Every structure is written in C-alpha cells, then in structure tokens.
Amino acid sequence: QVQLVESGGGLVQPGGSLRLTCVASGSILSIYAMGWYRQAPGKQRELVATIFSGGSTNYADSIKGRFTISRDNAKNTVYLQMNMLKPEDTAVYYCNANNLRMVLGTKYRELWGQGTLVNVSS
C-alpha cells in the first residue's frame, strides 16, 4: 500500500518562486525514479523533470535553468524548486514514481499523485 501526496502549489506572481513537495508513503524499500509532470488546460501532459535514485536528472527544455529537481531517498520525497516563474508555467503539476519496491515484496511499476495547481498570475 503506497500513496503519493503533493503539496506546495498555489498562486504566485510572475518572476516569483514556488517549491513543490511530493512524499511517497508506505513501507517502501526503494524508488528508482521520481518526477514531475504538468498539464495545462487543453494541453497534453508533459514531463517537467525526472530524478533517479542515483541523483541523475532530466529536464524539459522549457524550464531548464529555472527549475531544479531534487530528492531525499531516506524520506522518499521529491522536490521541485521553481524560480523565475512565467504565466505559461500555469498548470496542474503531478508527482510520478517508477519502479517502487515495498518491504514485503510488492512492486509497483508506476504511481501518480493527484496533482497540485500552480497558478502564475499578477
């Protein structure tokens, strides 16, 4: 039994900053990859950033240099620090986790959080 819970979304002015947090709860042994996706109205859900258990990262071109993804493996938590926010960053941001292993042997290929809204507006 495992759950992803996002927090940190809200209203922020253009040029401002916001930090998103996602916590994976449950009796977890390991998580191979954690990441953030976003979906704006009328748009396809897109990858924002991914971080692997060893610390390697991938970023979408649209946010490179502005967003930073990080994780705390001991806490099964992933963060997304968003700086220099633009109105076009407005979207629902979803936490994602791949290849979770639980203490009793259960495996999950992919899990999603329910999303947190980021609204960049003055």
Side-chain angles (χ1 to χ4, degrees):
Q1 194 162 1
V2 65
Q3 184 179 14
L4 303 182
V5 179
E6 304 103 328
S7 63
L11 178 64
V12 64
Q13 295 183 356
S17 297
L18 209 60
R19 192 193 197 198
L20 305 183
T21 299
C22 173
V23 179
S25 62
S27 300
I28 301 168
L29 279 177
S30 64
I31 304 173
Y32 176 63
M34 302 186 75
W36 293 93
Y37 290 71
R38 68 185 183 185
Q39 187 168 23
K43 299 287 186 178
Q44 182 88 352
R45 185 174 297 187
E46 63 178 351
L47 175 67
V48 177
T50 299
I51 185 166
F52 299 91
S53 60
S56 298
T57 58
N58 293 323
Y59 292 98
D61 289 340
S62 61
I63 56 87
K64 283 182 179 178
R66 299 189 296 121
F67 293 7
T68 301
I69 190 170
S70 61
R71 66 187 282 176
D72 186 334
N73 290 332
K75 296 180 179 180
N76 296 312
T77 300
V78 63
Y79 307 93
L80 185 68
Q81 179 65 48
M82 303 184 293
N83 300 319
M84 298 178 287
L85 283 162
K86 304 174 180 179
E88 50 263 45
D89 294 319
T90 297
V92 176
Y93 284 71
Y94 296 92
C95 182
N96 172 268
N98 290 317
N99 295 322
L100 291 82
R101 295 181 178 270
M102 313 303 288
V103 294
L104 294 180
T106 303
K107 300 176 182 178
Y108 297 90
R109 181 175 295 177
E110 185 176 63
L111 293 173
W112 291 92
Q114 291 188 316
T116 184
L117 177 63
V118 173
N119 189 357
V120 185
S121 176
S122 59

